[in-house]
DNA sequence: TAAACTCCACGTCACTTGGC
DNA sequence: GCCAAGTGACGTGGAGTTTA
């Protein structure tokens, strides 16, 4: 079954402009520990060698994706935390403005008795 | 106290995106 | 067009909590 296509990237900066994006692609130069570079395809001969190479490539891909997923979750958590603290600040600010408005209304409204 | 439930972190897959 | 990186969705397992 085909999954629905995702349009959301998690980059809220485009709409708000004041929050840090959590989708940042950092170039990776170093391989994870214990990972060897692949032999050149030209040096592979037997079907067994090809199968081993395919397995090795898959494991490398999974390992990289595992790390990428961890990092992605870490950034997302940070981003959500950041949004939550912003909400808290804005709620306080909003409350203060409402109180100020009520005070001004009291001052400006004509007394009727 | 065992079963049911909830929450969280993780691994994997499928897909998108950007750089070359 | 290919490849690597990023990420949403999904399934799973472990730890903590609630309930009968």
């Amino acid at each position: 079954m085909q999954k629905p296509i995702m349009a959301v990237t998690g980059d809220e900066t485009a709409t708000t402009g004041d929050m840090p994006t959590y989708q940042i692609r950092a170039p990776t130069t170093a391989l994870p520990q214990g990972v060897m570079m692949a032999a050149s395809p030209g040096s592979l001969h037997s079907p067994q060698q090809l199968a081993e190479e395919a397995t090795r490539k898959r494991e490398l891909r999974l390992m990289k994706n595992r790390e990428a997923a961890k990092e992605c979750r870490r950034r997302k958590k940070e981003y959500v935390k950041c949004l939550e603290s912003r909400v808290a600040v804005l709620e306080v600010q909003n409350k203060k403005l409402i109180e100020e408005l009520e005070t001004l209304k009291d001052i400006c409204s004509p007394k009727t008795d």
Side-chain angles (χ1 to χ4, degrees), chain A residues 58-97:
Chain A
R58 174 182 155 77
E59 282 172 0
L60 178 59
R61 182 168 50 79
L62 289 181
M63 185 189 297
K64 282 187 174 180
N65 188 244
R66 201 179 299 142
E67 294 304 312
K70 276 185 195 168
E71 183 60 17
C72 181
R73 287 182 186 120
R74 188 192 64 75
R75 276 200 299 269
K76 189 172 182 178
K77 242 177 126 178
E78 206 174 297
Y79 172 70
V80 168
K81 227 194 230 175
C82 187
L83 282 183
E84 284 171 348
S85 55
R86 185 159 163 74
V87 166
V89 167
L90 289 174
E91 277 176 350
V92 168
Q93 203 176 324
N94 194 39
K95 201 178 166 193
K96 279 184 184 170
L97 287 171

Side-chain angles (χ1 to χ4, degrees), chain A residues 5-12 22:
Chain A
I5 292 171
M6 293 295 117
V8 177
T9 63
D11 185 354
E12 300 292 327
Y22 72 90

